[in-house]
Tab-separated table of all heavy atoms in Angstrom:
chain	number	residue	atom	x	y	z
A	5	ILE	N	1.099	11.665	2.199
A	5	ILE	CA	0.404	12.796	2.932
A	5	ILE	C	1.227	14.053	2.507
A	5	ILE	O	2.422	14.108	2.762
A	5	ILE	CB	0.567	12.574	4.398
A	5	ILE	CG1	-0.091	11.142	4.837
A	5	ILE	CG2	-0.015	13.602	5.242
A	5	ILE	CD1	0.158	10.718	6.288
A	13	THR	N	3.539	18.471	9.744
A	13	THR	CA	4.407	18.217	11.009
A	13	THR	C	4.366	16.727	11.241
A	13	THR	O	3.440	15.966	10.904
A	13	THR	CB	3.926	18.963	12.241
A	13	THR	OG1	2.567	18.515	12.611
A	13	THR	CG2	4.002	20.367	11.878
A	14	PRO	N	5.363	16.150	12.043
A	14	PRO	CA	5.335	14.648	12.337
A	14	PRO	C	4.097	14.429	13.226
A	14	PRO	O	3.449	13.345	13.175
A	14	PRO	CB	6.573	14.499	13.096
A	14	PRO	CG	7.462	15.598	12.659
A	14	PRO	CD	6.662	16.765	12.369
A	16	LEU	N	1.061	15.725	13.001
A	16	LEU	CA	-0.006	15.914	12.135
A	16	LEU	C	-0.006	14.481	11.202
A	16	LEU	O	-1.084	13.906	11.139
A	16	LEU	CB	0.011	17.073	11.174
A	16	LEU	CG	-1.188	17.448	10.457
A	16	LEU	CD1	-2.393	17.728	11.437
A	16	LEU	CD2	-1.019	18.725	9.710
A	20	VAL	N	-2.939	11.444	11.200
A	20	VAL	CA	-3.547	10.824	10.032
A	20	VAL	C	-3.321	9.454	9.995
A	20	VAL	O	-4.256	8.656	9.696
A	20	VAL	CB	-2.969	11.678	8.852
A	20	VAL	CG1	-3.441	10.894	7.526
A	20	VAL	CG2	-3.502	13.119	8.757
A	22	THR	N	-2.801	7.259	12.384
A	22	THR	CA	-3.790	6.546	13.455
A	22	THR	C	-5.218	6.475	13.010
A	22	THR	O	-5.821	5.477	13.230
A	22	THR	CB	-3.668	7.167	14.810
A	22	THR	OG1	-3.908	8.554	14.729
A	22	THR	CG2	-2.242	7.075	15.376
A	23	LYS	N	-5.644	7.570	12.366
A	23	LYS	CA	-7.036	7.547	11.862
A	23	LYS	C	-7.202	6.677	10.718
A	23	LYS	O	-8.272	6.049	10.464
A	23	LYS	CB	-7.436	9.025	11.518
A	23	LYS	CG	-7.531	9.895	12.726
A	23	LYS	CD	-8.627	9.499	13.508
A	23	LYS	CE	-8.857	10.442	14.670
A	23	LYS	NZ	-9.951	10.064	15.588
A	27	VAL	N	-9.665	2.698	8.894
A	27	VAL	CA	-10.261	2.348	7.606
A	27	VAL	C	-9.513	1.171	7.026
A	27	VAL	O	-10.227	0.207	6.488
A	27	VAL	CB	-9.934	3.615	6.647
A	27	VAL	CG1	-10.296	3.247	5.161
A	27	VAL	CG2	-10.676	4.837	7.126
A	28	THR	N	-8.145	0.958	7.109
A	28	THR	CA	-7.414	-0.131	6.574
A	28	THR	C	-7.776	-1.404	7.316
A	28	THR	O	-7.716	-2.580	6.819
A	28	THR	CB	-5.965	0.054	6.558
A	28	THR	OG1	-5.539	0.489	7.825
A	28	THR	CG2	-5.638	1.166	5.639
A	31	PHE	N	-10.898	-2.753	5.621
A	31	PHE	CA	-10.873	-3.115	4.140
A	31	PHE	C	-9.335	-3.255	3.876
A	31	PHE	O	-8.630	-2.191	3.771
A	31	PHE	CB	-11.517	-2.168	3.198
A	31	PHE	CG	-11.756	-2.539	1.863
A	31	PHE	CD1	-12.495	-3.711	1.552
A	31	PHE	CD2	-11.112	-1.989	0.840
A	31	PHE	CE1	-12.742	-4.174	0.343
A	31	PHE	CE2	-11.338	-2.483	-0.451
A	31	PHE	CZ	-12.067	-3.511	-0.780
A	34	VAL	N	-6.596	-2.152	0.080
A	34	VAL	CA	-6.258	-0.795	-0.502
A	34	VAL	C	-4.996	-0.740	-1.206
A	34	VAL	O	-3.962	-1.289	-0.711
A	34	VAL	CB	-6.223	0.114	0.771
A	34	VAL	CG1	-5.788	1.502	0.411
A	34	VAL	CG2	-7.486	0.150	1.577
A	35	VAL	N	-4.985	-0.208	-2.366
A	35	VAL	CA	-3.777	-0.141	-3.181
A	35	VAL	C	-2.989	1.223	-2.899
A	35	VAL	O	-1.796	1.042	-2.784
A	35	VAL	CB	-4.179	-0.112	-4.683
A	35	VAL	CG1	-2.977	-0.019	-5.594
A	35	VAL	CG2	-5.010	-1.401	-4.919
A	36	ASP	N	-3.699	2.279	-2.792
A	36	ASP	CA	-2.960	3.577	-2.809
A	36	ASP	C	-3.862	4.528	-1.968
A	36	ASP	O	-5.103	4.545	-2.070
A	36	ASP	CB	-2.914	4.055	-4.193
A	36	ASP	CG	-1.847	5.128	-4.337
A	36	ASP	OD1	-0.986	5.218	-3.412
A	36	ASP	OD2	-1.927	5.875	-5.480
A	52	ARG	N	-9.923	28.569	6.346
A	52	ARG	CA	-10.604	27.263	6.321
A	52	ARG	C	-9.573	26.108	6.240
A	52	ARG	O	-8.735	26.242	5.293
A	52	ARG	CB	-11.539	27.110	5.197
A	52	ARG	CG	-12.651	28.122	5.331
A	52	ARG	CD	-13.753	27.765	6.196
A	52	ARG	NE	-14.452	26.648	5.767
A	52	ARG	CZ	-15.372	26.032	6.492
A	52	ARG	NH1	-15.670	26.314	7.587
A	52	ARG	NH2	-16.139	24.929	5.901
A	57	VAL	N	-8.972	13.042	0.857
A	57	VAL	CA	-8.269	11.825	0.783
A	57	VAL	C	-8.831	11.123	-0.465
A	57	VAL	O	-10.032	11.261	-0.692
A	57	VAL	CB	-8.383	10.989	1.976
A	57	VAL	CG1	-9.786	10.575	2.219
A	57	VAL	CG2	-7.454	9.671	1.964
A	65	ASP	N	-11.943	4.244	-7.193
A	65	ASP	CA	-11.363	5.278	-6.384
A	65	ASP	C	-12.403	5.855	-5.495
A	65	ASP	O	-13.540	6.229	-5.968
A	65	ASP	CB	-10.792	6.454	-7.213
A	65	ASP	CG	-9.488	5.934	-7.886
A	65	ASP	OD1	-8.912	4.992	-7.437
A	65	ASP	OD2	-9.098	6.632	-8.954
A	68	VAL	N	-12.938	11.710	-0.730
A	68	VAL	CA	-13.722	12.360	0.287
A	68	VAL	C	-12.915	13.672	0.625
A	68	VAL	O	-11.701	13.698	0.676
A	68	VAL	CB	-13.744	11.472	1.560
A	68	VAL	CG1	-14.648	12.065	2.634
A	68	VAL	CG2	-14.423	10.034	1.293
A	90	VAL	N	-15.958	3.262	2.678
A	90	VAL	CA	-15.167	1.978	2.455
A	90	VAL	C	-16.006	0.806	2.914
A	90	VAL	O	-15.995	-0.227	2.209
A	90	VAL	CB	-13.852	2.151	3.340
A	90	VAL	CG1	-13.209	0.745	3.457
A	90	VAL	CG2	-12.934	3.038	2.543
A	91	VAL	N	-16.786	0.934	4.049
A	91	VAL	CA	-17.646	-0.198	4.464
A	91	VAL	C	-18.722	-0.536	3.527
A	91	VAL	O	-18.949	-1.591	3.180
A	91	VAL	CB	-18.200	0.138	5.904
A	91	VAL	CG1	-19.288	-0.812	6.255
A	91	VAL	CG2	-17.083	0.085	6.932
A	95	GLU	N	-19.234	-3.911	1.339
A	95	GLU	CA	-20.488	-4.719	1.368
A	95	GLU	C	-20.981	-4.896	-0.050
A	95	GLU	O	-21.447	-6.066	-0.433
A	95	GLU	CB	-21.562	-3.916	2.112
A	95	GLU	CG	-21.340	-3.948	3.622
A	95	GLU	CD	-22.242	-3.056	4.397
A	95	GLU	OE1	-23.030	-2.311	3.780
A	95	GLU	OE2	-22.174	-3.064	5.609
Side-chain angles (χ1 to χ4, degrees):
I5 301 174
T13 62
L16 201 54
V20 170
T22 56
K23 292 294 181 174
V27 175
T28 55
F31 195 64
V34 176
V35 176
D36 197 19
R52 297 284 289 175
V57 64
D65 283 342
V68 183
V90 165
V91 168
E95 288 171 355

